[in-house]
Amino acid sequence: MLKKKIFLCSLLVLGLTTACKSKEDTPKTDKQTEVEKGKPEERPAPAEEPKQPEKPNAPEEGKPSVPKPSDYHIATRMVVTPIKGKTTALLRTLKLEEFIWGKDKNAIKLGDLLPFVEFSASELDGQQYKLTTDDLKLLELVDLKYQRESDYSGNLTFMVRYNGINGKDVLRIPISIREYFLQKFEVNESFPKNYYLGGVAGPQFGIYTGSLLKPYDKMKYALVPTEPRADHANNTLSFRGKVDLPRYKAENVLTLDFELGGFKPLSALKDNLLFSTTPSLNEWMSDRLKKLKSLDDATILKSLELNSIQWIKLASPALRLSRSEIGDLVWSDDFKDLVGTVSGGLDTRDVYLKQVHLEVKSAHYDKEAGTVTTEIALTGANDVALSGVTTKLVVRSIKL
């Protein structure tokens, strides 16, 4: 028994001794010694991430930013404000002609307006409180009307009742009747590229009116284009249109203005404006050349330049429509204008060259062929100056 006690005591002593040893008492390895000699710099502790700035005290989402006014002040101090950028969508959505001309009071309701306007009210301090979804459930429109001031301006007017309390003021939402109807019609931008402006805007305007606008609902609307105005410098056509509403038998509701550009420029007449000789011109040219002392090109040209319209009007004008199709043009009664026509199923009525200016650029007599070949330039028409629009005219059967 005594021996066991001595043995246990020895173990306890050994254990205490081991536990009391420090890290310095632990034998160092060669690797640890090398690290101490080099004394590498200790790595700095990673920097703490910057704290995000605290958000300013803002109202919780869905909650008003100012205290809610009393029901009485909401009803009597109500304001309606159109939402910026949503006017076009509002006009596209409203059933305005049903409301105004159809006399349907249910054609426009509060729910039709809510996506495009905001309702707010204030206490006496003037701070605007925007009505919430729950508030709007208690709102009613009273005596809704449309007040038209002109084709360009007007207002949807009404009073309100909030939670059974009647408002005192008339509220207004600006509505332009013109902008409303302009959305119902769209110009046909693909039409002008195949036509000259002069005839479309000129005496033949009526035959082109059906092509100026894209298709629209003719059960609801009727529009007759009128008052064409051509801007030849910019190749654009302006015209007006009187709007009727057939289903309500409402006529001349308003007049709209349109502009359509992109017509064929007069420069496209190059190589397409043609003149061909006639028996009358052949005879005239023969008589003229007989009177000349010399038949060289310069002398003939100088002679033909004098009052050139006198003999060019004897030629037959035409317009090349394609490689195989040539349509006729005609002179006006005073020989000042070249006008398109319909002949042989070919239509050139879009051509109307008012106050035509033609110049003779060259002339050559071929005695053997019995011809005089001239180069004629169209230098102006429709108050527009032109260059480079030339054509050849060969006068035949010259008998000297």
Side-chain angles (χ1 to χ4, degrees):
M1 189 66 176
L2 181 60
K3 289 182 179 180
K4 285 184 179 179
K5 288 182 178 179
I6 294 172
F7 177 73
L8 289 171
C9 289
S10 300
L11 288 175
L12 288 170
V13 171
L14 287 171
L16 290 170
T17 305
T18 304
C20 292
K21 287 185 178 180
S22 67
K23 291 181 181 179
E24 294 179 356
D25 295 331
T26 306
K28 298 181 180 179
T29 63
D30 294 338
K31 188 174 182 180
Q32 288 173 321
T33 306
E34 291 175 3
V35 171
E36 284 188 0
K37 288 179 180 179
K39 292 185 180 179
E41 294 182 9
E42 294 182 359
R43 294 182 180 177
E48 293 184 7
E49 293 185 3
K51 293 182 179 180
Q52 295 293 331
E54 293 183 4
K55 293 182 179 179
N57 294 328
E60 295 180 24
E61 188 175 353
K63 290 188 177 182
S65 57
V66 299
K68 180 178 178 179
S70 67
D71 289 358
Y72 175 78
H73 282 147
I74 289 179
T76 58
R77 298 177 64 83
M78 183 79 71
V79 175
V80 61
T81 307
I83 298 175
K84 189 176 181 180
K86 291 193 174 183
T87 301
T88 300
L90 170 62
L91 294 176
R92 190 181 298 119
T93 302
L94 282 183
K95 295 180 179 179
L96 206 56
E97 67 256 28
E98 290 86 344
F99 182 76
I100 300 174
W101 292 275
K103 309 298 182 183
D104 182 1
K105 297 302 181 183
N106 293 317
I108 299 177
K109 298 180 180 180
L110 175 61
D112 301 321
L113 303 175
L114 290 181
F116 313 104
V117 299
E118 291 181 347
F119 288 90
S120 59
S122 67
E123 291 282 6
L124 298 179
D125 60 8
Q127 293 188 78
Q128 289 297 316
Y129 166 86
K130 180 182 173 182
L131 270 64
T132 66
T133 303
D134 289 335
D135 295 328
L136 293 171
K137 293 176 182 178
L138 303 175
L139 183 65
E140 301 173 62
L141 302 186
V142 179
D143 196 23
L144 183 65
K145 297 177 182 178
Y146 180 73
Q147 292 184 345
R148 179 174 173 178
E149 298 174 3
S150 69
D151 287 353
Y152 293 86
S153 63
N155 294 281
L156 203 60
T157 67
F158 54 90
M159 298 182 74
V160 296
R161 182 182 295 117
Y162 179 76
N163 202 16
I165 303 173
N166 290 325
K168 296 180 178 180
D169 299 324
V170 175
L171 305 185
R172 292 175 173 81
I173 299 175
I175 298 289
S176 167
I177 203 78
R178 176 181 177 273
E179 294 299 326
Y180 174 83
F181 277 108
L182 274 177
Q183 295 187 87
K184 310 300 180 183
F185 307 98
E186 187 176 357
V187 293
N188 182 9
E189 295 177 350
S190 64
F191 167 74
K193 63 182 179 182
N194 297 316
Y195 295 89
Y196 291 98
L197 174 59
V200 174
Q204 305 293 350
F205 178 69
I207 68 173
Y208 297 105
T209 55
S211 301
L212 300 179
L213 298 172
K214 290 183 179 180
Y216 57 86
D217 190 343
K218 294 188 177 180
M219 295 295 291
K220 292 184 176 182
Y221 314 106
L223 185 144
V224 179
T226 60
E227 302 179 42
R229 300 179 297 279
D231 180 351
H232 292 285
N234 295 302
N235 244 5
T236 59
L237 168 69
S238 299
F239 60 95
R240 310 192 81 185
K242 178 175 67 68
V243 178
D244 297 335
L245 303 177
R247 57 181 171 159
Y248 300 122
K249 298 181 180 180
E251 297 183 352
N252 199 15
V253 170
L254 81 162
T255 301
L256 299 176
D257 295 285
F258 299 93
E259 185 175 280
L260 189 58
F263 287 87
K264 291 174 70 172
L266 291 183
S267 59
L269 290 169
K270 179 178 173 59
D271 300 326
N272 292 316
L273 179 62
L274 309 174
F275 290 96
S276 57
T277 192
T278 63
S280 298
L281 179 56
N282 295 342
E283 184 178 349
W284 184 93
M285 189 65 72
S286 296
D287 291 343
R288 173 58 65 93
L289 265 60
K290 287 177 184 178
K291 297 176 182 178
L292 299 180
K293 295 180 179 180
S294 173
L295 295 178
D296 62 275
D297 292 353
T299 301
I300 295 174
L301 176 61
K302 187 175 181 180
S303 175
L304 296 181
E305 285 177 329
L306 298 174
N307 194 17
S308 59
I309 192 64
Q310 179 185 6
W311 61 270
I312 294 178
K313 70 182 182 182
L314 299 176
S316 177
L319 180 70
R320 189 188 306 279
L321 300 174
S322 67
R323 289 184 179 181
S324 58
E325 294 179 327
I326 295 177
D328 291 338
L329 300 176
V330 295
W331 287 103
S332 61
D333 292 340
D334 57 5
F335 294 98
K336 292 182 178 180
D337 309 329
L338 271 177
V339 185
T341 185
V342 179
S343 178
L346 299 177
D347 192 343
T348 61
R349 287 177 293 180
D350 60 314
V351 175
Y352 185 78
L353 304 178
K354 189 176 182 180
Q355 297 292 325
V356 173
H357 294 277
L358 298 168
E359 294 182 5
V360 186
K361 294 296 184 180
S362 66
H364 174 70
Y365 170 57
D366 187 329
K367 184 177 180 180
E368 241 179 74
T371 60
V372 173
T373 301
T374 62
E375 183 181 47
I376 299 173
L378 174 65
T379 59
N382 301 331
D383 298 321
V384 176
L386 298 168
S387 63
V389 181
T390 60
T391 186
K392 284 187 178 181
L393 167 59
V394 180
V395 183
R396 304 182 183 279
S397 303
I398 302 300
K399 298 174 183 179
L400 301 180

